[in-house]
Amino acid sequence: MLLELPGFEHIDVRDFEEAVFWLDKYGERARVMAGGTDLLSLMKDRIEGPGFRIPQILVNVKPVPEMNQLTWDEKSGLRIGAALALSHLSASDLVIDKYGILAQAARSVGTTQIRNRGTVGGNICQRPRCAYFRHPHFLCFKKGGEKCLAAAGEHRFYHSIFGNGKCVMAHPSDLAPALVALKAEAVVISLREERRVPLRDFFCGANQPIETILKPDELLTEIVVPNQGIGIRQIFLKQRIRRSVDFALSSVSVVARTSGKICEHASIVLGGVSPFPYAASEAEKTLRGKSLNEQIIAEAAEAAVSGARPLPMNHFKVDLTKALVKDALLSIVETE
Amino acid sequence: MKDSKSKDGFSVSRRSFLKSFGTTAAAAATVQVEAVAQELAKANAEQTYGPGAVPITLNVNGKTLKLQVEPRVTLLEALRNHSNLTGAKEVCDRATCGACTVLLDGAPIYSCSKLAIEAQGHEITTVEGLAQDGELEPLQQAFIDHDALQCGYCTPGMILSIEALFRKIPQPTRDDIRNAIDGNLCRCGSYLNIIEAALDASARRRD
C-alpha cells in the first residue's frame, strides 16, 4: 500500500524554548520530529488514536544542538541527547567502554539505514509493532477501538507474555530495557516545568492507549545514565527471527555488580516480552548475595519468567526468555 | 534550514524571559504566553514552512537542485518525481526494504523516510552519481560480472550501501559486507553473488 504523506506545516526549532513553545501552542495537533523513521510511516498509513493524532504540524528538533549531545562526566554520568542517532551512540568509544550494553543494544536495532537516522528518543517512544495497530483497516484498542485484536488473533512474535491488559503489544525497543537496567532517567520539559523521570516509570503499561507518560506539550530532551562505577559487568542479548531488520522476540539486559564470584546486585530487564521494559525482580532477588554458579543461574532464569502469563500462541517466548537470561548470566561469569 | 541568523540580542531576552517563566504564577502566565507568542511567531516566520509548496535547494551528486515542493514530500519523491533521478526505487515506502537507499553525507539512509525539506544542506549521493564520464564504478562493473542481480530493484540500494562501506573500510571482510547490506532486501535472493561482487570490487580497487 503506497500512500503519500498528509500535508503538514514544518517548523525548524533552534532551541528548547522554541520547541516547547510550539508544542504548547499546538498541543495534539503537533508532533516532535527527529529521525522520523517511525513517525513518517505511521503518518503515511494514517494511524491515529486517543492521544496520538495525525499531526498537522511537525516540530523538527534535530537542529537543536543539545538534542544531539553525548557527554560524560564522573558526577552526572552519561547524558544522551534524545535526537542523537543510534549509529552515533553505538560508535562512541566512550559508550563502548563504559556502557557496553547501550552500544550492543543500539547496534542491534533495525538496519544500518535505520540506525543512521533513528534516534535514541525515537527508539524509546516508538509505537507498537503489532500488525493490527500498524494496518490502516483495523480499529484496535490503541486506535480508539473497543478491544485488542491481537489477543485473539495473530500474536506469535511481537506480543507479550508479561503485563498484558487491554492491549497485548510487546514494547519493541532494544535500548529502553538496557537503559532501565542502567537506572537511567529521562529529562522531560514543557513550557511550564522540567521533570526527571526514572526510565522504568516512563512507560504507562497495557491499559493506556499510548505507551509513554509524555503529554502532547512535552519534549523528551535527554536521557541521563548514572555513572556505574567499577566492578560492573553488563551484557545485552537479543533473539529475533532474522539476524537483521527484525524486532526482538525477546531481549535481556543484565547489569551486575560482582565481587569475586559473589553477585552483590543485578539488574535484569527484559525487552520484547511485555508492553514496557520488564524488570525481572524475582530473578534479581534470587541472585543477590549469591555465588554465581550454574545452579543459581538456572534458578534465576526460572525466576525471571515466573510471572509469565503467555498468550495462546506465544508460549515459546517463555522458554526463549529463560534461555536468554541463562546465557546472559553464564557469559557474565565467563568474563570474570 | 541550518540558518542561524543573529537576532541582535533578541534570543537572549527571550531565553531569560522563558527561564523566569517557571516560577511565575499561572494567572499572570497567560498574558506572558501571548506576548512571547507574538515574538516567537515573528522570529519563526522564516523557519515555518508549508503546508503549501516551498522552495528548497538540494545538493545531489555534486549538483545543485532547486525545487518547489510541499514539506510532506519525501526525499525519495523529490528525487524521482521532481528531478527525474529514478535510481532510488520506491518499493515499501516504509523504511523496511532498502530499495530507496541513498547516501546522506556518505551514510546510507532510507530516502522514503526522510523529508526533502530536511535533506537541505547535506550532500546526497544517488546511484546516478557513481559512474564518472560514462565509466562504471568498479563495484557496478563487478555487479554485472558476478550476475549480482535478477530483477534489479534492490541493486541501486545494494550498491550504495556497499559504496558507503568502502568509504569507511576499503578492504572489508565478508562479514563487514553482510552487515553493510543488512538493511537491503533482495527478493530474488542474489545475496551470495552480491557479496562476491563486493569482494571482487574491493580487490579491484586495491590493485
Side-chain angles (χ1 to χ4, degrees):
Chain A
M1 194 171 328
L2 299 171
L3 282 175
E4 288 183 351
L5 282 164
F8 53 80
E9 226 173 279
H10 185 275
I11 305 176
D12 287 317
V13 295
R14 289 164 296 195
D15 53 35
F16 290 147
E17 285 86 350
E18 283 184 5
V20 292
F21 168 77
W22 291 112
L23 292 176
D24 187 77
K25 181 173 159 98
Y26 290 118
E28 276 204 10
R29 293 173 59 206
R31 286 215 75 86
V32 174
M33 164 93 174
T37 48
D38 190 23
L39 181 61
L40 295 184
S41 294
L42 291 165
M43 286 169 69
K44 284 175 188 168
D45 287 325
R46 310 295 191 268
I47 305 297
E48 62 176 339
F52 191 90
R53 296 293 164 200
I54 298 169
Q56 293 161 312
I57 296 107
L58 289 188
V59 180
N60 178 23
V61 294
K62 199 80 185 163
V64 180
E66 294 92 334
M67 292 291 292
N68 298 286
Q69 68 170 346
L70 183 65
T71 61
W72 186 85
D73 70 74
E74 220 160 303
K75 198 158 153 269
S76 47
L78 185 72
R79 301 171 77 98
I80 311 169
L84 185 79
L86 295 170
S87 55
H88 288 154
L89 184 70
S90 63
S92 153
D93 291 334
L94 176 78
V95 174
I96 293 169
D97 179 41
K98 291 195 156 58
Y99 302 91
I101 54 170
L102 287 187
Q104 290 167 18
R107 213 177 293 127
S108 79
V109 172
T111 65
T112 306
Q113 289 93 326
I114 295 271
R115 294 189 294 273
N116 282 338
R117 281 295 295 157
T119 63
V120 173
N123 184 271
I124 294 166
C125 298
Q126 63 184 309
R127 302 301 320 268
R129 297 293 158 183
C130 171
Y132 297 99
F133 174 78
R134 295 268 160 178
H135 198 289
H137 293 177
F138 293 102
L139 188 63
C140 77
F141 167 69
K142 293 252 169 187
K143 294 195 276 190
E146 277 181 13
K147 60 177 182 182
C148 174
L149 299 167
E154 163 61 56
H155 54 234
R156 278 177 295 173
F157 303 124
Y158 303 118
H159 297 83
S160 293
I161 57 173
F162 297 102
N164 280 325
K166 286 181 180 164
C167 166
V168 298
M169 70 168 278
H171 202 280
S173 174
D174 294 322
L175 267 188
L179 286 166
V180 171
L182 291 164
K183 308 265 183 285
E185 286 185 319
V187 180
V188 174
I189 61 168
S190 70
L191 195 53
R192 278 157 197 85
E193 60 167 357
E194 172 178 325
R195 53 183 180 141
R196 277 176 81 133
V197 188
L199 205 65
R200 66 182 294 168
D201 302 329
F202 187 74
F203 301 93
C204 301
N207 295 326
Q208 298 297 325
I210 51 172
E211 293 79 39
T212 70
I213 57 159
L214 280 183
K215 298 192 196 90
D217 65 337
E218 286 183 324
L219 172 68
L220 171 65
T221 59
E222 62 176 336
I223 307 290
V224 183
V225 194
N227 186 352
Q228 303 293 310
I230 42 172
I232 283 290
R233 319 221 164 257
Q234 42 184 321
I235 184 161
F236 172 84
L237 291 182
K238 170 177 177 178
Q239 187 67 41
R240 46 184 162 177
I241 297 174
R242 293 167 292 183
R243 267 179 23 212
S244 75
V245 187
D246 287 327
F247 292 92
L249 296 170
S250 179
S251 79
V252 54
S253 303
V254 179
V255 177
R257 179 182 299 283
T258 54
S259 93
K261 278 271 174 197
I262 305 291
C263 171
E264 290 176 357
H265 174 83
S267 286
I268 303 175
V269 183
L270 308 176
V273 288
S274 164
F276 43 86
Y278 180 86
S281 44
E282 289 301 315
E284 293 170 0
K285 269 184 229 155
T286 309
L287 292 176
R288 194 164 301 151
K290 299 277 169 47
S291 172
L292 288 177
N293 55 39
E294 269 196 43
Q295 194 205 332
I296 201 82
I297 285 174
E299 278 174 33
E302 195 66 55
V305 295
S306 58
R309 299 285 176 275
L311 298 162
M313 287 196 291
N314 71 2
H315 283 251
F316 78 96
K317 279 194 169 192
V318 179
D319 292 330
L320 175 62
T321 306
K322 206 195 310 181
L324 278 183
V325 173
K326 197 172 159 190
D327 273 5
L329 292 172
L330 282 173
S331 69
I332 276 187
V333 177
E334 279 159 18
T335 56
E336 292 273 332
Chain B
M1 295 289 296
K2 286 265 170 85
D3 143 332
S4 54
K5 276 180 206 156
S6 143
K7 287 276 173 287
D8 301 325
F10 166 77
S11 61
V12 177
S13 62
R14 174 164 45 86
R15 184 183 300 264
S16 48
F17 184 80
L18 282 165
K19 280 237 168 85
S20 66
F21 198 60
T23 53
T24 321
T30 328
V31 186
Q32 290 188 332
V33 169
E34 285 308 314
V36 179
Q38 284 175 6
E39 259 191 295
L40 271 172
K42 209 166 61 194
N44 266 294
E46 68 199 64
Q47 286 167 297
T48 305
Y49 301 98
V54 293
I56 64 164
T57 310
L58 296 178
N59 172 3
V60 185
N61 302 330
K63 293 192 196 85
T64 304
L65 282 182
K66 289 195 181 299
L67 305 173
Q68 189 79 19
V69 298
E70 294 168 58
R72 70 189 182 101
V73 169
T74 62
L75 177 57
L76 178 64
E77 289 162 353
L79 293 172
R80 288 183 63 84
N81 305 345
H82 295 264
S83 2
N84 263 340
L85 288 165
T86 52
K89 303 287 181 244
E90 182 174 14
V91 178
C92 76
D93 204 28
R94 299 291 184 278
T96 305
C97 71
C100 67
T101 301
V102 301
L103 304 187
L104 193 82
D105 297 330
I109 62 151
Y110 294 134
S111 61
C112 72
S113 294
K114 170 100 186 159
L115 297 176
I117 192 172
E118 290 182 6
Q120 296 181 99
H122 297 280
E123 246 175 65
I124 300 154
T125 310
T126 70
V127 74
E128 289 97 337
L130 294 184
Q132 298 293 327
D133 308 321
E135 184 90 4
L136 290 181
E137 269 262 289
L139 181 60
Q140 291 173 306
Q141 189 56 50
F143 261 64
I144 297 169
D145 298 346
H146 288 266
D147 212 4
L149 55 136
Q150 289 177 60
C151 79
Y153 252 74
C154 71
T155 310
M158 288 284 184
I159 287 182
L160 285 169
S161 286
I162 298 168
E163 178 67 27
L165 171 71
F166 284 167
R167 290 184 191 179
K168 241 172 32 186
I169 310 173
Q171 302 298 323
T173 63
R174 195 172 280 269
D175 268 351
D176 290 336
I177 297 165
R178 290 170 68 115
N179 288 334
I181 58 170
D182 68 352
N184 295 80
L185 294 182
C186 168
R187 57 146 257 183
C188 308
S190 301
Y191 296 106
L192 293 178
N193 291 4
I194 290 167
I195 293 165
E196 287 308 322
L199 284 169
D200 186 22
S202 79
R204 281 192 219 177
R205 287 160 73 107
R206 186 185 48 207
D207 298 337

